[in-house]
């Protein structure tokens, strides 16, 4: 848990907040009003961060009548940056369909807009239909992993391309920045090249928090590895492997359908009649909020946090806010983030030193 580091005591919780919920029967157009209501409710409940799923293609069968469009995840997070003051914002941006320089710039800008609450949920959509949206051919698994590693490494280098004190704003001399403290990044990988410093100053957090699904197998490059396994024992084993690879934090992935006025099993059956829920490989809880609290307390023994995927946000989020999070807090397993803290502070992640400032000749 986070108290093994330097953040808030307890179990930081993330909420996946795409559309109407995690169940495919809840697909609905994402309106700014609904997005704001979900994020504000999650912040008031005490969630440490919200994540926003995204894909090159809209949800649904292809691009036909069953598809539902949605606002791009980075734009959703940017919209919420001025409507929230303590919850982290983590859009999914795909390395295969987003130019690496633009990706790094977008995330740095989000960190500035949110005063240090930005995160990046690394996506790597690689099916033929998704890649066709940008005119790419399918990518072999080995090449995809190398490209994912290259994009993460490039983004981190670009975030360091401005030292923290590069902006001087010297009115007397008319200098805005110290050019010696802005560094060129000349990266050449197997599938792309990037040159030049970022076009924005270094993010407030130094490095935007990087969240990586465990299936990407880039544990050593992530700040948080998201472990999706079907049993607590399997989650524990994969969490150990992520830490051995160098991941600072590990979050378990849990899909939830909770008892409301209607029992959870009945709710799930009704949803499945509309659109059957596919297998995800994640741990799933269908039942009472009390049982979910017990499950999360069990997971707290071997993970640092949890990302929850409510089946229906409008139904499950109020139960989480009114029953589950207060019960965790009463057990000493939860504390909401504080206004003014960066996401790194909330999670107990140190602010990284700039790689150039640390060099002996950085200011030569």
């Amino acid at each position: 848990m986070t108290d093994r580091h330097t953040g808030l005591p307890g179990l930081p919780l993330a909420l996946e907040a795409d559309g109407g919920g995690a169940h495919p029967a809840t697909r609905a157009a994402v309106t700014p009003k609904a997005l704001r209501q979900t994020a504000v409710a999650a912040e008031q409940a005490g969630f440490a961060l919200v994540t926003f799923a995204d894909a090159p293609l809209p949800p649904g069968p292809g691009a036909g009548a069953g598809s539902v469009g949605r606002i791009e995840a980075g734009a959703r997070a940017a919209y919420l940056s001025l409507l929230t003051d303590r919850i982290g914002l983590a859009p999914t941006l795909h390395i295969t369909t987003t130019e690496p320089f633009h990706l790094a710039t977008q995330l740095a800008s989000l960190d500035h807009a949110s005063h240090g609450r930005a995160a990046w949920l690394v996506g790597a959509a690689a099916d033929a239909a998704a890649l066709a949206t940008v005119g790419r051919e399918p990518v072999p698994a080995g090449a995809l992993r190398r490209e994912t590693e290259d994009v993460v490494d490039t983004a981190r280098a670009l975030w360091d391309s401005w030292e923290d004190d590069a902006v001087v704003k010297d009115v007397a001399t008319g200098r805005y920045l110290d050019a010696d403290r802005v560094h060129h990044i000349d990266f050449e990988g197997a599938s792309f090249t990037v040159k030049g410093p970022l076009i924005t100053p270094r993010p407030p957090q130094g490095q935007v928090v990087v969240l990586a699904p465990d299936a990407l197998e880039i544990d050593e490059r992530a700040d948080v590895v998201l472990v999706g396994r079907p049993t607590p024992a399997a989650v524990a084993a994969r969490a150990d492997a992520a830490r051995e690879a160098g991941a600072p934090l590990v979050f378990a992935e849990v899909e939830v359908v909770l008892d409301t006025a209607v029992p959870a099993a009945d709710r799930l059956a009704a949803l499945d009649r509309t659109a059957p829920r596919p297998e995800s490989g994640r741990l799933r809880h269908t039942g009472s909020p009390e049982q979910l609290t017990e499950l999360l307390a069990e997971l707290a023994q071997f993970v640092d946090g949890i990302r929850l995927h409510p089946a229906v946000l409008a139904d499950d989020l109020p139960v989480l806010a009114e029953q589950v999070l207060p019960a965790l807090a009463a057990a000493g397993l939860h504390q909401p983030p504080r206004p003014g803290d960066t996401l790194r502070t909330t999670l107990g992640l140190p602010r990284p030193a700039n790689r150039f400032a640390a060099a002996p000749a950085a200011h030569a």
Side-chain angles (χ1 to χ4, degrees), residues 339-364:
D341 279 355
T342 69
L343 180 57
R344 282 187 170 274
T345 300
T346 296
L347 298 179
L349 292 167
R351 187 179 189 275
N354 186 292
R355 69 190 68 190
F356 297 103
H363 296 167

Side-chain angles (χ1 to χ4, degrees), residues 194-207:
V194 169
K195 293 185 178 294
L198 205 62
I199 58 174
T200 61
R202 195 175 192 225
Q205 295 184 99
Q207 294 274 318

